[in-house]
Amino acid sequence: MNLQQLGAAAQAGSVEGLEVVSLEGGFYLLQARLASGLQLLRDEHGKVLHLRSTTQVRELLQAMPRVPCELIQHCVHDEMCGSREGPIAPLRLPLSLEQRW
């Protein structure tokens, strides 16, 4: 899904929410939650779009209709060591898409 398709889906009310996935190295991926499943945001060449900050995410989505957005951060230590019992779930934090000046 590219940015134009994401905007059209958000305008049509098909986007249930957005997930900004934090990766090691300071990159973020943006994925849309649709009824059909998760769709990663891709550039014009079809490659997964790597964003540098939540500010860049806000700037990219500023003209889009507002939908719920969460920052997703996995706990790498728990995934590598498996020290916790039970399922390991990522940290999910609400993320405002409003510009902050």
Side-chain angles (χ1 to χ4, degrees), residues 1-7 18-24 26-32 39-62 64:
M1 167 177 278
N2 62 33
L3 188 59
Q4 185 178 14
Q5 292 167 325
L6 177 60
L18 297 172
E19 295 182 354
V20 178
V21 182
S22 176
L23 300 178
E24 281 187 78
F27 292 101
Y28 298 88
L29 303 180
L30 181 63
Q31 53 190 18
Q39 292 284 322
L40 277 168
L41 187 64
R42 299 179 181 274
D43 65 16
E44 60 276 0
H45 304 291
K47 293 183 180 181
V48 174
L49 191 61
H50 289 80
L51 302 162
R52 292 170 279 132
S53 67
T54 54
T55 300
Q56 187 181 16
V57 171
R58 287 183 184 101
E59 290 170 355
L60 186 69
L61 302 175
Q62 68 184 356
M64 195 166 302

Side-chain angles (χ1 to χ4, degrees), residues 24 73-92:
E24 281 187 78
Q73 189 165 11
H74 295 275
C75 182
V76 176
H77 180 268
D78 286 344
E79 289 178 359
M80 288 180 0
C81 300
S83 60
R84 224 180 331 154
E85 290 186 24
I88 298 172
L91 176 64
R92 293 177 167 270

